[in-house]
Amino acid sequence: MTGPRLRIAPSPTGYFHVGGARTALFNWALARQLGGTFVLRIEDTDTERNRPEWTQGIIDALAWLGISADDPHFEGPYLQSSYTAQHIAAALQLVESGNAYYCDVSAAEIEARNQQAVDAGSIAQGYGGWSRDRNLGPGPDRVVRFRVPEGTTVVRDVVRGDVEFDNSLIEDFVLLRGNGAPVFMLANVVDDMHMKISHVMRAEEHLSNTPKQQLLWEALGEQPPVWAHLPLLVNEQRKKISKRRDKVALEQYRAEGFLPDAMVNYLMTLGWTPKGPEVQPWEQMESDFRLEDVHLSPAFFDVRKLAAFNGDYIRMLSAGEFLEASRPYLLGPDAGFPADRFDESKFLAIAGHVQPRCITLADAPGVVDFLFLADPVIDADSWAKVFSGAQATAVLRGAISAYESLPDWNADALKSALEVIGAANELKLGKAQAPVRVAITGRAVGPPLFEAIEVLGREESMRRLRKAEAALD
RNA sequence: GCCCCCAUCGUCUAGUGGCCUAGGACACCACCCUUUCAAGGUGGCGGCACGGGUUCGAAUCCCGUUGGGGGUGCCA
């Protein structure tokens, strides 16, 4: 695969979240559109917080979104921890070239010094380049720090334009820890370099650190990549969404019955605007996406809008697709009816009426449960309300006798028969259907009644009607 | 504190100096359709943060203010 090389570099410290997914999607779209490569690199250098199972979680989440290792544009996953030797070599190379130096000042000492300064009424200076010219060699607990050069660093960002940083405000940051382990700033750059990454597209939180990385690229003698910083995804409080305080795990949305296509489509609208209708196929977005069109301001991750997208996508499904997508919910422990009573053909017959009543796939069982329950769960309030009407009993009895002798058991015939009974009781169909609905489904609301009765079948429907009648006495 | 980024309806946004009495989507409200509930249709509510410039003309360009956010780690 030739062409540009993009990447995402998540760290396996928890569930993959929607922000990471949005970044992945943007990178994926561009990589595919340009015939380039999408690299997945797991940045697992923080041994304190990493967990191996999260790595698989990231891979699964990406696959769910359609970013799959089977695609020729996909490369990886690479584990950053397996390139430690290269990171260290790069740090030593920088020491060699005078761009980095050893330092024996501990974090605690720096803090103490800052505290002293504050106590004395002056301003904390931070590290302050203490060991810059001490010419220290390697030793236990000695870190390697980058020697930030004088001048200014201009980050050429495709979405934000040129951003200028005064180098004197950037501290001599650590490259290798006291224990010899590389830190993110170094590892990230060295890996991008070795993996020949041409475009670094990531969230805006990294913008302030970008001059450091660019300086590293330059000190290592390479051209920095194209930078592109995406607007942050924020919560209602306008703060960066985080695993700690917000519901952001992709896995959770998946479990709740969101369709991957809906999630993908919605995520693509956060930080970029599709041309034409906002609900549109991936292929369209993939070919229209342009870095230059990426927005500058943060976007609120709005679950209600996601839900609207999901409803749209559910309605676009064929009955068969809807069945397959809903199956885990239909046969799961929360379905509300025993799995062995589920009947695919009945579900398929009524699916078209179920879809517009679902926001998530998890809603499906609740719409059709009465079809698969031995007896519908009678909602007491609905029953009480419906049968408080004087004509309700008459309508129910009328329906029973009319339906007993109905030649063809189909929705049209069922409807016509009830219209006649309603008319005899001076009721419009809307009112007349209520007692029958409660008797058949247990509720006052649900999918179209006569279609449901047709699917339920003559025998079971008559049994429920008679049972309801008996309960009235 | 310092550095950086951002600023159009409640939210996501269209808008790149005249086409804008600012358009769409979600949410909300009303009406229509109707076999309940949805879905769908129609309509409504609602916005260029503020102050200065530049210009014949500014949502669009410049400056400032205010507000929000991010970064500033031997986390990533």
Side-chain angles (χ1 to χ4, degrees):
Chain A
M1 193 73 45
T2 55
R5 293 173 60 82
L6 297 93
R7 49 70 159 181
I8 60 163
S11 56
T13 54
Y15 282 114
F16 195 55
H17 71 96
V18 293
R22 194 276 310 260
T23 301
L25 254 6
F26 279 28
N27 276 282
W28 183 241
L30 198 60
R32 283 180 46 101
Q33 177 195 120
L34 300 177
T37 304
F38 172 97
V39 175
L40 171 61
R41 183 175 70 232
I42 307 291
E43 303 219 321
D44 56 347
T45 50
D46 182 355
T47 47
E48 298 282 300
R49 298 193 302 159
N50 287 330
R51 298 274 219 75
E53 60 266 33
W54 297 130
T55 295
Q56 190 57 45
I58 292 168
I59 293 166
D60 293 345
L62 289 172
W64 182 65
L65 294 172
I67 300 178
S68 146
D70 299 336
D71 189 291
H73 297 270
F74 187 103
E75 192 177 297
Y78 298 111
L79 294 183
Q80 182 162 73
S81 57
S82 53
Y83 301 102
T84 307
Q86 292 182 354
H87 308 150
I88 294 171
L92 298 182
Q93 181 192 328
L94 288 168
V95 172
E96 199 72 17
S97 62
N99 291 111
Y101 57 89
Y102 286 94
C103 171
D104 61 0
V105 184
S106 72
E109 286 175 70
I110 295 170
E111 199 182 324
R113 205 179 291 147
N114 283 331
Q115 191 55 50
Q116 246 173 29
V118 171
D119 291 345
S122 58
I123 301 159
Q125 292 301 311
Y127 167 63
W130 194 264
S131 304
R132 272 198 150 194
D133 303 309
R134 291 169 63 209
N135 262 309
L136 261 27
D141 292 329
R142 289 188 180 174
V143 300
V144 172
R145 286 182 181 272
F146 184 69
R147 188 191 304 275
V148 175
E150 293 187 350
T152 60
T153 300
V154 177
V155 172
R156 318 211 70 163
D157 186 294
V158 200
V159 342
R160 269 150 227 280
D162 290 356
V163 185
E164 209 173 296
F165 296 86
D166 182 348
N167 292 3
S168 69
L169 269 8
I170 303 172
E171 282 201 329
D172 283 357
F173 51 96
V174 171
L175 263 21
L176 295 184
R177 300 185 174 97
N179 64 8
V183 302
F184 156 77
M185 202 63 70
L186 208 223
N188 185 270
V189 166
V190 171
D191 285 345
D192 281 345
M193 212 171 274
H194 283 281
M195 294 175 188
K196 306 236 178 293
I197 299 304
S198 59
H199 294 63
V200 171
M201 186 192 329
R202 74 247 280 201
E204 198 211 301
E205 56 194 312
H206 293 284
L207 181 58
S208 293
N209 284 324
T210 305
K212 296 183 190 171
Q213 300 190 324
Q214 182 160 307
L215 254 11
L216 241 24
W217 277 80
E218 287 162 358
L220 256 7
E222 299 268 350
Q223 265 312 307
V226 173
W227 306 108
H229 289 91
L230 310 175
L232 248 24
L233 259 37
V234 297
N235 63 20
E236 241 160 337
Q237 286 75 241
R238 300 255 115 205
K239 295 206 190 305
K240 180 171 82 166
I241 50 171
S242 83
K243 291 165 185 168
R244 299 199 64 168
R245 48 176 186 242
D246 304 304
K247 180 178 138 187
V248 293
L250 216 54
E251 179 54 39
Q252 190 179 353
Y253 287 98
R254 177 186 188 171
E256 287 177 5
F258 285 86
L259 256 11
D261 289 355
M263 179 60 86
V264 166
N265 197 156
Y266 176 58
L267 252 17
M268 286 300 289
T269 69
L270 263 22
W272 178 71
T273 307
K275 313 205 176 322
E278 61 182 0
V279 173
Q280 62 172 241
W282 166 259
E283 291 68 29
Q284 189 63 46
M285 296 186 282
E286 182 183 294
S287 64
D288 288 345
F289 181 81
R290 293 191 338 138
L291 274 180
E292 293 74 12
D293 296 333
V294 169
H295 307 151
L296 300 173
S297 33
F300 169 48
F301 181 81
D302 186 353
V303 181
R304 288 192 302 177
K305 184 121 184 187
L306 205 215
F309 272 69
N310 207 54
D312 281 346
Y313 273 88
I314 285 179
R315 272 168 248 130
M316 285 190 268
L317 260 23
S318 69
E321 289 167 338
F322 182 52
L323 167 64
E324 290 317 315
S326 318
R327 197 185 288 280
Y329 305 93
L330 263 2
L331 300 179
D334 299 325
F337 51 84
D340 60 8
R341 289 189 57 89
F342 179 67
D343 182 332
E344 282 191 11
S345 62
K346 283 184 180 164
F347 183 80
L348 252 10
I350 206 163
H353 295 299
V354 180
Q355 286 166 260
R357 272 157 262 259
C358 293
I359 291 300
T360 69
L361 298 170
D363 294 333
V367 181
V368 296
D369 57 356
F370 68 91
L371 286 173
F372 307 118
L373 246 13
D375 276 296
V377 178
I378 305 290
D379 177 67
D381 290 345
S382 299
W383 177 280
K385 188 175 181 201
V386 164
F387 287 105
S388 66
Q391 309 101 316
T393 306
V395 169
L396 184 63
R397 294 200 168 116
I400 289 169
S401 74
Y403 285 180
E404 263 171 348
S405 53
L406 205 63
D408 296 311
W409 192 263
N410 64 54
D412 283 345
L414 291 158
K415 179 185 176 188
S416 303
L418 197 68
E419 271 170 341
V420 171
I421 293 156
N425 290 277
E426 293 181 325
L427 291 174
K428 286 186 179 172
L429 191 54
K431 286 280 184 193
Q433 57 96 44
V436 178
R437 177 180 292 280
V438 174
I440 296 285
T441 73
R443 298 193 193 96
V445 300
L449 180 60
F450 306 110
E451 288 76 357
I453 297 176
E454 178 185 329
V455 170
L456 224 208
R458 170 171 245 143
E459 194 183 332
E460 174 62 11
S461 299
M462 291 309 300
R463 189 186 71 77
R464 291 185 185 185
L465 293 171
R466 292 200 181 95
K467 188 170 177 182
E469 185 196 17
L472 286 172
D473 296 332

